[in-house]
Amino acid sequence: MQALAGVEGRAIPFGAKNVDTDVIIPAEWLKTITREGLGKGAFETVRAEPGNVFDDPEHAEAPILIAGDNFGCGSSREHAAWALLDLGITAVIAPSFSDIFSGNAFKNGILTVVLPQEQVDRLLEVAREHPITIDLETQTVTTPFQDRFTFEIDPFRKHCLMNGLDEVGLTMARGDAIAAHEASRVRHLPWLDNATEKAA
Amino acid sequence: MASKPRTLYEKIWDAHVVETRDDGTSLIYIDRHLVHEVTSPQAFEALRLAGRPVRRPDLTLAVPDHNLPTTARRDAAGGRIPIADAQSAAQLAALEANAPAFGIRYIGDADAEQGIVHVVGPEQGFSLPGATIVCGDSHTASHGGLGALAFGIGTSEVEHVLATQTLLLKRSKSMEVRVEGELGPGVTPKDLILHVIGVIGAAGGTGYVIEYRGKVFEQMSIEGRLTVCNMSIEAGARAGLVAPDDVTFAYLKGRPMAPKGAEWDAAVQWWRSLATDDGAEFDKSVVIDAADIAPSVTWGTSPEDVLPITGAVPAPESFADPSKQDAARKSLAYMGLEPGTPLTEVAIENVFIGSCTNSRIEDLRAAAAVLKGRRKAANVRWAIVVPGSGLVKRQAEEEGLDKVFLDAGFEWREPGCSACLGMNPDKVPAGERCASTSNRNFVGRQGPGARTHLVSPAMAAAAAVTGRLADVRELVD
């Protein structure tokens, strides 16, 4: 994973509420066995409409997406995060995110920034003509004007994002603790082991 | 020393903490991992690249479901009928190769036990009360119906679980959804959960694990509890739970992967201790009067867009929130509906009975009870029943349900995810409506331009017979 200090540039002022994962990447695109190339299918139904914000040359290659409440609701498909990355989006700003999507985004180095609706509304207005800056170190979103909004982020996620850490590798280093838990589990809850072998 | 009263969720959580870090994140042990073909190829590939094995193949079960066509899979000579879609075929082939390569038990398309992972897990006794269960699929919430902490994960987390049998998690908040009173005639667990989603909203459960409480759930079958917990994710909650009880134990006893003998007795003793203690506190409590729940149907493109079948299509201006007004306008345009139209006047062309929400034996019985001696209306072009597993299919056939469906003009299919999502050949044509027992009415979910109305199996059958959304209570005594 790439280390991420922040994201700076134009932002797509999408703004829609309850953007579900079928809208971000329709199921037909999930048949891939790689992580690449999903940008072509990203927001397919939205982009079928003339004048949509995604194909507006004003926002070409914008690294930030601004959306409404409950962004990424629906399925657990990580393809949604891969599709955003393939579009070049590395940060999403919204009043709230679905739990699974925000986890998937984080694991792919995409920053999810939660701000109150009125601040999101202000950024949607600014984004139409101006760039936005997200700084992870100071946890702030700023505009070329006087706007300076601070956001919360889980300290562990911040640490991983800023250092580009691989979570699987971090956990594998805790192998002893996991083995100790397994030893205790087999004493207290022995029926949980060898699940698939029971039917053999 | 009396310990602090805990909720069911807290007890399961506490039993699975490997270690907790200073920032409150815990490494949580995972007891059961279901793997399907769509969200796993990139995870296996990452393991391969890093030279990492699967830590606990004995706790991992692979079943293909999303891409599989639901038409015949074997020709007369027993040979495999090739899958026309090359990408679907490649994805299925990847799972079929990855499972044995990593030592994982694989239930394939030719096995009688194959089905939708969320039907197979409970049916095989792989899913157990008090266990932590994950799968790269958001409807893993289903298994909470057995009293398991079960939730969907992304592909990076699939890789993490395969490699370490753990996940790094922060404890969720807890929400109690307490339903008081009893469900009325014709009101099913599906109507109940649709109503709950309508009350708390599609994001109302975000950050929470829901425990469903009240006599309604104690009296509910496991099939019904699985349906309710399944759609917790449509309310934004990653997991839903019903406390395990005698109904749960009776359902699980003797299933192939369930514990046996002395292990069974020890397990039951532990499972009984998991129920939420008196005095335990929830972060949020929602109380619903069962008498307020009618047979329900969705009118829009979010699962929160739900109304009793006796209602009418709402006007966008009727919503207080301006962004919801805007969303409702877009939904109605997509759905081709006019405000004020009674829901029972909405004609439908397709009926889908299936999905991890409603494809178990009880669901098929409920639909067949309405269809018996009746036929689908002339304007219903396409009506299919897709059992949740090969075993559900076999049981239904033993009960003669397949004949009821066939006589009513339905197609009787092989198990899989089918028309719940547009990944296999079962799709609803653009601009057409479908009364569907599935879980999502999102734009394009059942195929590009498809218009989905979520209903219970009995209501889907009523829609098939009348050719419109219909109140099942008018068709049965």
Side-chain angles (χ1 to χ4, degrees), chain B residues 62-324:
Chain B
V63 190
D65 56 6
H66 285 61
N67 279 272
L68 274 181
T70 59
T71 45
R73 288 163 190 171
R74 290 284 184 276
D75 60 25
R80 196 178 223 170
I81 297 174
I83 291 170
D85 185 315
Q87 278 192 303
S88 286
Q91 204 165 54
L92 289 161
L95 183 64
E96 196 170 16
N98 282 327
F102 286 90
I104 295 167
R105 171 86 188 274
Y106 174 75
I107 298 180
D109 62 335
D111 298 317
E113 296 83 4
Q114 182 271 332
I116 305 170
V117 285
H118 309 310
V119 176
V120 173
E123 194 172 72
Q124 290 300 312
F126 182 72
S127 309
L128 296 174
T132 47
I133 304 178
V134 298
C135 173
D137 188 286
S138 60
H139 289 111
T140 309
S142 309
H143 309 257
L146 294 170
L149 177 59
F151 51 89
I153 56 178
T155 298
S156 293
E157 290 171 308
V158 170
E159 177 194 343
H160 195 278
V161 176
L162 289 171
T164 70
Q165 205 58 33
T166 64
L167 278 176
L168 272 168
L169 296 170
K170 268 225 158 104
R171 191 189 285 218
S172 300
K173 290 176 284 185
S174 61
M175 182 192 297
E176 166 192 43
V177 170
R178 191 149 41 86
V179 178
E180 293 186 335
E182 296 194 14
L183 297 178
V187 181
T188 69
K190 179 65 165 287
D191 301 302
L192 185 158
I193 188 61
L194 286 172
H195 180 88
V196 168
I197 296 162
V199 170
I200 69 180
T206 303
Y208 289 91
V209 165
I210 297 175
E211 182 180 340
Y212 300 95
R213 287 155 62 82
K215 201 167 67 181
V216 163
F217 302 106
E218 291 165 26
Q219 293 172 342
M220 195 179 279
S221 67
I222 293 302
E223 284 85 347
R225 296 178 192 183
L226 293 167
T227 298
V228 169
C229 290
N230 171 278
M231 288 190 72
S232 301
I233 185 70
E234 272 65 52
R238 216 166 160 180
L241 286 159
V242 175
D245 58 11
D246 287 332
V247 178
T248 320
F249 311 145
Y251 172 90
L252 285 170
K253 191 161 191 181
R255 294 198 178 259
M257 297 183 193
K260 305 194 171 56
E263 278 198 348
W264 170 263
D265 297 336
V268 169
Q269 197 185 353
W270 188 64
W271 295 339
R272 281 195 200 284
S273 74
L274 294 174
T276 293
D277 296 325
D278 290 339
E281 286 175 17
F282 290 87
D283 295 301
K284 189 173 178 180
S285 190
V286 175
V287 180
I288 285 170
D289 185 349
D292 291 342
I293 309 174
S296 301
V297 56
T298 61
W299 53 267
T301 56
S302 167
E304 70 184 19
D305 300 338
V306 64
L307 280 172
I309 184 63
T310 49
V313 176
E317 307 78 59
S318 67
F319 296 98
D321 174 359
S323 69
K324 183 68 197 173

Side-chain angles (χ1 to χ4, degrees), chain A residues 74-87:
Chain A
S75 112
S76 65
R77 59 188 71 162
E78 197 157 318
H79 309 68
W82 301 334
L84 293 181
L85 276 185
D86 203 46
L87 281 184

Side-chain angles (χ1 to χ4, degrees), chain A residues 17-18 20 22 27-28 30-35 70 74-79 82 97 99-100 104 107 154 156 166-169 171-172 174-175 177-179 181-182 185 189-199, chain B residues 15 17-19 21 23 29 31-32 42 52 55-56 58-60 67 85 88 91 105 136-138 153-157 160 166 168 170 202-203 206-207 238 257 259 263 267 270 304 321 323 422-423 427 440 442 445:
Chain A
K17 266 182 88 151
N18 286 328
D20 59 66
D22 283 78
E28 191 59 39
L30 309 188
K31 295 177 184 176
T32 173
I33 55 172
T34 70
R35 299 174 190 232
N70 202 23
S75 112
S76 65
R77 59 188 71 162
E78 197 157 318
H79 309 68
W82 301 334
F97 292 87
D99 292 336
I100 301 180
N104 285 339
K107 288 177 172 63
D154 178 273
F156 174 70
D166 160 24
E167 209 179 283
V168 176
T171 302
M172 290 194 77
R174 305 300 303 148
I178 297 170
H181 182 86
E182 284 172 331
R185 177 176 174 276
L189 313 171
W191 60 86
L192 285 170
D193 281 354
N194 305 320
T196 57
E197 287 148 35
K198 286 192 169 75
Chain B
V17 174
V18 172
E19 56 185 10
R21 284 202 308 252
D23 65 4
Y29 199 80
D31 295 321
R32 298 286 185 265
Q42 295 87 350
R52 291 167 176 162
R55 185 179 179 92
R56 293 299 300 266
D58 63 317
L59 308 182
T60 312
N67 279 272
D85 185 315
S88 286
Q91 204 165 54
R105 171 86 188 274
D137 188 286
S138 60
I153 56 178
T155 298
S156 293
E157 290 171 308
H160 195 278
T166 64
L168 272 168
K170 268 225 158 104
T206 303
R238 216 166 160 180
M257 297 183 193
E263 278 198 348
W270 188 64
E304 70 184 19
D321 174 359
S323 69
M423 277 202 81
K427 291 188 181 73
R440 291 194 174 130
F442 296 160
R445 173 78 178 184

Side-chain angles (χ1 to χ4, degrees), chain A residues 152-171:
Chain A
E152 294 298 314
I153 182 169
D154 178 273
F156 174 70
R157 285 191 173 181
K158 180 177 177 177
H159 174 72
C160 288
L161 284 170
M162 293 198 71
N163 296 288
L165 295 176
D166 160 24
E167 209 179 283
V168 176
L170 286 176
T171 302

